[in-house]
Amino acid sequence: MPTPWPRRAFLLTTGTSALSLATPTTPPAAARDTATTAAVEATADADAFAALRAKWRTLILGEGFSPTAEPFQTRLAQLGADARQLRDTMAPATGSLWPDASYADPEPDTDQESFGYSANLVTSCTRLATMAGAYSQQGTGLTGDSTLKSAIVTGLDHLYTQVYNERQARFGNWWSWQIGAPQALLDTCVLMYDALSAERLSHYCAAVDHFVPDSAVAQYTGTSTGANRVDLCRVLALRGVVGANAAKVALARDALSPVFPYVTSGDGLYVDGSFIQHTTVPYTGSYGSVLLGGLGLLFALLDGSPWEVTDSGKQIVFDAVEKAWAPFLYNGLVMDCVAGRAISRGIAASDAKKAQADDHLRGHPILASIALLGQGASAAENARWRGLVKGWMRRDYYSPPLSDPQLSLTHLARLKAVEDDTAVTPVPEPTGHRLFTNMARATHRRPGWAAAVSMADARITYYETGNGENLRGWHTGSGMLAWWGDSYANGQYSDAFWPTVDPYRLPGTTASRKVLADGAGGDWGAARPDVSWVGGASDGQRAVLGQHLKGLQSTLSARKAWFCLDDTIVCLGAGINCADGTVVESTVENRNLGPSGRSPFQVDGVTKPTTTPWSQTLTGARWAHIGGHGGYVFPGGAAVRARREQRTGKWSDINKGGATTPLTRTYLTLHVDHGTDPTDAAYAYMLLPGASAARTAERAGASGWLRILANSGARQGISVPSLGFTGVAFWSGGTAGALTVSAACVVLVSERPDGTAVVCVSDPTRAARAGLTVTWDRPVAAVTAKPATVTSAGTGAALKLTFADLGPTKGATQKITVRLG
């Protein structure tokens, strides 16, 4: 049965006055036919908008769960309690709706203070949306409550009259006015639609039109790209749904199209799986999460409607689930190296519940978004993604998603549906290496563990700060090597790591101890090193990575290389120079051992104290082991400084909106002290995640297992004969072992038991350079597969490859398969 067309929808759509509706006339026959056709079309449109409102209610309230079953019963009761508290404390006054959230900016502009006032507008709108959710959901204790309904309507009117209206000039953060506030406002309008008059809806729509005009999506640039563009399209779509405006919904759909194609610079998805926001920031785990979730919602909302998204480019988004997002998800967490300034959002000062955000809690919404997105993908994609999601959920022992206190009810319902679906088999974590050349990131996965390397170059920022967030993330792009175990250490960076860790001693980094100011380098990823040689080559399982490091606001320069192998990552550093007048350190490890920090530690078989504070210079150390974590091998022995210490910090130290409660964690740190103003310093070590002490000692004793071919500012390379592996980062042309190159590049060789070998070559500088030659002094019978850029290949004696141009590949790996002679 067709849904009756609400009178207010007709008024909003046509602008016809009530008087004209109440004064019928008798038109001629032709006019009656035209009027009948228009009425039928209008009714069809009304039915479509009513269907969209109903669908959006389902999308934001959830479905398929019992309000009397856990975990939903408790969560619904909490929602009701929250809404009751908000209703009882709401006190409409000049400049505020709640006393603790004033939006009356005495000096409206775009400084940090004004950002706070505009954020309070979003807070006010979000609180009304929370109240509307409690009114609309079953089992909250306030379902359909008349006093709650009255409070919501009063609140909406107050905000419209005072601040969010078509006469107000925006101040503070643009996001508050164009995304944060209108999304919450329009969600509330959908949930409370039957309680709102046509006049009220008209006012709210006019306010949204003022702050989010059609021109907001006229150009794909500035603040209208990537995740921001998707958020703006959500606002336009819901404004169209609430106001029964087909043109707005169509605009929202069409404005999504620029998001889909791969980009070659700036914001968006890249062919290699990279995702960039704010021009220079790897953001798969934060803005990327918003983009994925927003697209999933809009695809689902418009599916089957007259405004369905039919752009074939949306397949790129489906492909990105496993190309872009899955590589950074591990046991339910999303890696911090692609979360930007979100890593500093732990406990907010304004959060009475003191719930801590972390890598797991950022990962869980992505799992739910993948489950939602699957509903619009192919049956095969949907089935596989549900298997991936169930696998991540099952393995998240540290922070089970279904117990996530910050996960929305809708996300919770989607994940519970996957968990309860007996037809879904959990997909295990994959093994392999992924190199994201367009955002200077790499992930390496092996049975039992996973790792990630974060770098920076002329295109990718050292770190992002802004809005007073991530004030001390200075060295996160200086070669940070993060890693997790399959059933251990999944809370390594979750347990108050960021406010308590020494920011100058992030694991894997080389850094000057020169004191940096909070937010050094500027907001929004402004600071980038003037270097181009950052990247590597991979055969899909192993990899060679390299970073030409230049310090942030420092004279530090270094060459760093990582060789990602089967059970280890070999780390080399060379050409370390600095003239800051301060000490330079390379941090081998900085493990967060939690509040107690009693994990055993031994060096060359000698157990060290577990008391704090403790420190020692380990002279000639060959290996070290941290119980419950893994091992470290120092080829040929090394002077390493070790320390076990308790460090205290506050979230407010790194985020101006953070909680001020002191937190203390115990750290075990291993670092190489290069001294003050070092010249041509170096280091070498192996990381063995999850290895036992016995396994670590065995590797240290196998003197022939690893051969360091070179470790200088000109080239860094190793070979592992037992693996048939040779890898070299050539910072310039030259020879290392059996490899000779004519110019800067990376070469990786994997010899296989079947008598073939794969030679992988890339140019991390991304220079448009022709004529690069790579010679491998190894008899080769034939070249069985080669890319188009290889113009010649010598066979019979030494293999010689000549590349016409590696530049257009943008640092991607070229693979050549040969048959050994």
Side-chain angles (χ1 to χ4, degrees), residues 515-538:
V515 175
L516 295 174
D518 287 353
D523 289 353
W524 316 119
R528 289 169 285 162
D530 183 21
V531 299
S532 60
W533 205 121
V534 172
S538 174

Side-chain angles (χ1 to χ4, degrees), residues 457-794:
D457 63 13
R459 300 167 297 116
I460 301 300
T461 184
Y462 290 103
Y463 79 114
E464 186 190 55
T465 185
N467 288 350
E469 298 182 309
N470 200 27
L471 297 171
R472 299 177 185 173
W474 315 300
H475 299 302
T476 46
S478 296
M480 183 172 178
L481 172 55
W483 63 273
W484 307 260
D486 56 354
S487 59
Y488 62 95
N490 275 197
Q492 175 61 205
Y493 312 103
S494 315
D495 184 20
F497 175 87
W498 292 107
T500 59
V501 72
D502 184 340
Y504 297 92
R505 288 180 178 154
L506 299 179
T509 63
T510 297
S512 166
R513 295 295 299 188
K514 177 183 177 181
V515 175
L516 295 174
D518 287 353
D523 289 353
W524 316 119
R528 289 169 285 162
D530 183 21
V531 299
S532 60
W533 205 121
V534 172
S538 174
D539 63 3
Q541 292 297 316
R542 301 166 181 163
V544 179
L545 308 174
Q547 177 181 16
H548 179 190
L549 172 67
K550 285 191 176 180
L552 173 64
Q553 295 185 348
S554 167
T555 60
L556 172 66
S557 179
R559 308 287 186 170
K560 296 172 70 69
W562 299 264
F563 304 85
C564 303
L565 305 177
D566 299 7
D567 68 348
T568 185
I569 298 177
V570 180
C571 307
L572 300 182
I576 301 172
N577 299 289
C578 190
D580 288 347
T582 57
V583 168
V584 173
E585 299 171 342
S586 291
T587 303
V588 174
E589 187 57 277
N590 203 350
R591 287 313 261 182
N592 178 4
L593 304 182
S596 61
R598 308 295 291 181
S599 298
F601 177 60
Q602 57 179 299
V603 179
D604 293 338
V606 178
T607 300
K608 302 298 180 179
T610 58
T611 55
T612 56
W614 167 86
S615 64
Q616 182 180 344
T617 297
L618 310 173
T619 303
R622 295 173 57 247
W623 63 271
H625 184 267
I626 304 176
H629 293 265
Y632 310 84
V633 173
F634 305 99
V640 181
R641 293 194 176 183
R643 62 194 303 128
R644 190 189 296 260
E645 63 178 340
Q646 288 191 324
R647 292 185 52 82
T648 299
K650 305 180 292 292
W651 284 106
S652 59
D653 293 337
I654 62 173
N655 189 315
K656 290 183 178 179
T660 58
T661 304
L663 301 167
T664 300
R665 295 295 182 268
T666 303
Y667 286 84
L668 205 160
T669 310
L670 297 171
H671 71 270
V672 178
D673 185 346
H674 301 298
T676 300
D677 292 346
T679 300
D680 207 25
Y683 65 81
Y685 65 92
M686 286 188 274
L687 166 66
L688 287 81
S692 65
R695 177 62 176 155
T696 305
E698 178 186 7
R699 178 58 55 81
S703 58
W705 188 84
L706 172 69
R707 298 176 183 174
I708 298 179
L709 304 176
N711 189 21
S712 71
R715 60 199 67 91
Q716 294 171 292
I718 69 168
S719 70
V720 182
S722 62
L723 300 180
F725 175 88
T726 299
V728 184
F730 288 98
W731 302 101
S732 58
T735 298
L739 292 169
T740 300
V741 303
S742 62
C745 66
V746 173
V747 184
L748 180 158
V749 178
S750 288
E751 298 183 53
R752 299 168 171 173
D754 65 358
T756 63
V758 175
V759 180
C760 301
V761 182
S762 77
D763 178 10
T765 69
R766 304 156 69 94
R769 183 180 59 237
L772 171 69
T773 61
V774 175
T775 302
W776 182 29
D777 190 11
R778 178 78 154 83
V780 169
V783 177
T784 60
K786 63 181 181 180
T789 54
V790 177
T791 57
S792 64

Side-chain angles (χ1 to χ4, degrees), residues 228-435:
N228 289 331
R229 169 58 72 93
V230 174
D231 270 341
L232 290 169
C233 288
R234 171 175 163 176
V235 170
L236 289 169
L238 267 295
R239 184 267 178 258
V241 169
V242 169
N245 187 315
K248 291 285 185 181
V249 182
L251 176 63
R253 175 201 60 203
D254 296 342
L256 285 175
S257 289
V259 175
F260 302 147
Y262 291 121
V263 299
T264 56
S265 64
D267 294 354
L269 283 164
Y270 291 72
V271 172
D272 68 355
S274 297
F275 177 78
I276 298 292
Q277 194 80 46
H278 292 175
T279 309
T280 65
V281 188
Y283 249 135
T284 314
S286 182
Y287 277 90
S289 174
V290 173
L291 179 137
L292 191 68
L295 287 175
L297 285 170
L298 289 175
F299 289 169
L301 172 68
L302 301 177
D303 182 49
S305 78
W307 305 279
E308 183 171 354
V309 180
T310 58
D311 190 326
S312 60
K314 70 179 182 179
Q315 183 60 44
I316 289 175
V317 177
F318 295 152
D319 294 342
V321 168
E322 295 196 59
K323 288 182 62 177
W325 279 278
F328 293 99
L329 292 164
Y330 188 74
N331 287 2
L333 65 83
V334 63
M335 298 176 183
D336 282 341
C337 63
V338 289
R341 68 186 194 280
I343 61 175
S344 70
R345 298 171 188 160
I347 301 174
S350 59
D351 182 9
K353 298 176 184 177
K354 303 304 179 186
Q356 178 182 282
D358 57 39
D359 47 3
H360 290 267
L361 270 60
R362 282 189 292 276
H364 299 162
I366 299 178
L367 308 189
S369 294
I370 290 173
L372 174 62
L373 194 70
Q375 296 177 18
S378 69
E381 287 169 322
N382 187 39
R384 175 164 171 78
W385 297 351
R386 289 173 70 83
L388 287 170
V389 168
K390 180 175 277 193
W392 287 318
M393 292 174 63
R394 291 276 180 91
R395 291 187 297 273
D396 196 348
Y397 72 91
Y398 179 82
S399 180
L402 297 183
S403 300
D404 184 337
Q406 296 186 2
L407 199 63
S408 71
L409 272 165
T410 50
H411 284 335
L412 195 64
R414 289 181 191 118
L415 293 184
K416 187 67 164 61
V418 173
E419 176 64 28
D420 293 345
D421 189 344
T422 57
V424 176
T425 301
V427 175
E429 293 285 355
T431 59
H433 188 93
R434 288 291 308 275
L435 180 57

